[in-house]
Amino acid sequence: MDPGPKDGESAAGAEPGRGAGPSGGVVVQVREKKGPLRAAIPYMPFPVAVICLFLNTFVPGLGTFVSAFTVLCGARTDLPDRHMCCVFWLNIAAALIQILTAIVMVGWIMSIFWGMDMVILASKYRAKEQGIPQQL
């Protein structure tokens, strides 16, 4: 009885011809499912996203609060089917959650990660606008 690949090994790392494609590799596509708060993070210009990260690092929720107003200025989000005001209030709610839970450090950590997500989204948006291919 021959055991299959161990945890952490892929089918591509197994013997050739066992579940692998003709080129010897396996193609896996992963799609991230975002909740409504995470999907409401706006695609901002890169400098604005960095400022929001800086604000979120030192005053939890302040950068998220500022980013909510970029939605009113026309920033795009991953919630195209929702109205602009709804997305604005989702960002305000995220900022309030960060501020209110900062006392127990959860909000501060969440605020920093939220700011990092803003910078990541801004860099992806900038690369897409400039026609630079995405790296994995």
Side-chain angles (χ1 to χ4, degrees):
M1 179 174 217
D2 186 28
K6 296 179 184 174
D7 290 340
E9 290 182 3
S10 67
E15 295 177 24
R18 295 186 66 196
S23 64
V26 176
V27 177
V28 177
Q29 182 178 5
V30 178
R31 185 176 300 172
E32 180 182 6
K33 183 178 178 189
K34 300 176 183 177
L37 281 179
R38 170 66 177 79
I41 297 175
Y43 288 88
M44 299 176 281
F46 190 76
V48 176
V50 170
I51 290 169
C52 288
L53 170 61
F54 181 79
L55 292 173
N56 270 348
T57 301
F58 294 104
V59 182
L62 184 59
T64 306
F65 186 75
V66 169
S67 75
F69 288 96
T70 65
V71 173
L72 294 179
C73 294
R76 200 175 55 82
T77 66
D78 289 331
L79 293 173
D81 55 334
R82 298 234 176 141
H83 192 266
M84 182 186 308
C85 288
C86 179
V87 177
F88 169 77
W89 286 111
L90 281 171
N91 279 293
I92 295 294
L96 288 175
I97 290 169
Q98 292 168 7
I99 291 167
L100 295 175
T101 58
I103 299 167
V104 290
M105 298 293 289
V106 173
W108 186 55
I109 294 168
M110 177 186 173
S111 185
I112 293 170
F113 278 105
W114 218 258
M116 289 175 11
D117 280 342
M118 289 179 204
V119 172
I120 290 168
L121 288 175
S123 64
K124 286 181 181 178
Y125 184 69
R126 178 159 88 181
K128 184 178 174 184
E129 288 292 314
Q130 294 176 350
I132 301 170
Q134 296 275 331
Q135 293 182 355
L136 296 178

